Amino acid sequence: MNLLIPDIGLVFWHTISFLLLLFLLGKFAWKPVMKAIGERERSIENALDAAEKAKQEMAQLTNENEQLLKDARAERDLILKEAKEIKEQLLKDAKEQAQKEGNRIVEKARIEINNQKAIAMADVKNQVSKLSLEIAKKVLEQELGDQSKQEALVGQLLKDVKLN
């Protein structure tokens, strides 16, 4: 039964040892351990804050990137639309210019044809008049080669003149 009931001296020395151990642990072990735990807590909180901040920055960057892509697409569409309008305007201008140039060339050709036609008609008239004069000259020479024929022709012309 001695084992179940402790002796007062034993309880006293155990209590003193326990208090001394508590004092020593409190003085040398608890402060550094608590300090290390506090530092660990602060580093974990800082890491969580940094992670949250990084997450927010990533979300902001993602939104900015999406906005930049949207703006770039809108700008690309605008540039393509302007390029298409410029192309259509250039084609329209080129067609109008070609039409004007074609009309000018056709008009120039028409004028040249009319000029050449007038020149050819004048040349034909000159040749016809020369031939007519030649024929008239030969006819008159043949008709008026004889003196009696000349007198008869003059008489006939005088009659026609007096009658008119």
Side-chain angles (χ1 to χ4, degrees):
M1 280 271 224
N2 254 347
L3 289 174
L4 292 176
I5 300 175
D7 195 16
I8 283 276
L10 183 63
V11 171
F12 175 76
W13 287 113
H14 271 94
T15 304
I16 297 268
S17 305
F18 181 71
L19 289 175
L20 182 64
L21 181 63
L22 262 170
F23 174 75
L24 289 174
L25 283 175
K27 180 117 178 133
F28 297 108
W30 287 104
K31 284 184 184 177
V33 168
M34 292 308 281
K35 185 179 176 185
I37 289 173
E39 287 177 7
R40 179 70 178 149
E41 259 182 37
R42 280 190 297 279
S43 70
I44 289 172
E45 285 177 11
N46 289 341
L48 288 174
D49 289 343
E52 184 64 30
K53 187 177 179 183
K55 182 179 174 183
Q56 289 173 352
E57 287 178 3
M58 285 300 293
Q60 182 181 1
L61 286 174
T62 301
N63 289 338
E64 288 176 4
N65 283 344
E66 287 175 4
Q67 186 62 37
L68 285 174
L69 280 173
K70 186 178 177 182
D71 292 345
R73 286 183 184 127
E75 188 174 345
R76 178 201 67 197
D77 292 343
L78 180 64
I79 289 172
L80 288 175
K81 180 182 174 188
E82 288 175 356
K84 184 177 179 182
E85 289 173 357
I86 289 171
K87 177 190 87 168
E88 289 172 358
Q89 185 63 38
L90 286 175
L91 286 174
K92 181 181 173 186
D93 291 347
K95 284 179 183 178
E96 288 176 3
Q97 184 66 26
Q99 184 69 31
K100 287 178 184 177
E101 185 66 20
N103 290 341
R104 187 186 65 78
I105 290 172
V106 167
E107 187 61 30
K108 185 177 177 182
R110 186 178 296 127
I111 290 170
E112 183 66 26
I113 288 170
N114 286 338
N115 289 341
Q116 291 296 324
K117 182 179 172 183
I119 291 170
M121 289 299 284
D123 190 38
V124 167
K125 284 180 183 179
N126 284 339
Q127 287 180 5
V128 166
S129 64
K130 283 181 184 177
L131 284 175
S132 296
L133 287 174
E134 292 262 340
I135 291 172
K137 179 180 171 187
K138 288 188 181 180
V139 166
L140 284 175
E141 283 178 356
Q142 190 176 20
E143 287 291 321
L144 298 178
D146 185 13
Q147 183 68 26
S148 63
K149 285 185 180 180
Q150 286 179 7
E151 289 174 1
L153 180 61
V154 169
Q156 180 66 33
L157 287 174
L158 286 175
K159 257 195 217 174
D160 288 342
V161 171
K162 286 180 188 176
L163 293 175
N164 287 333

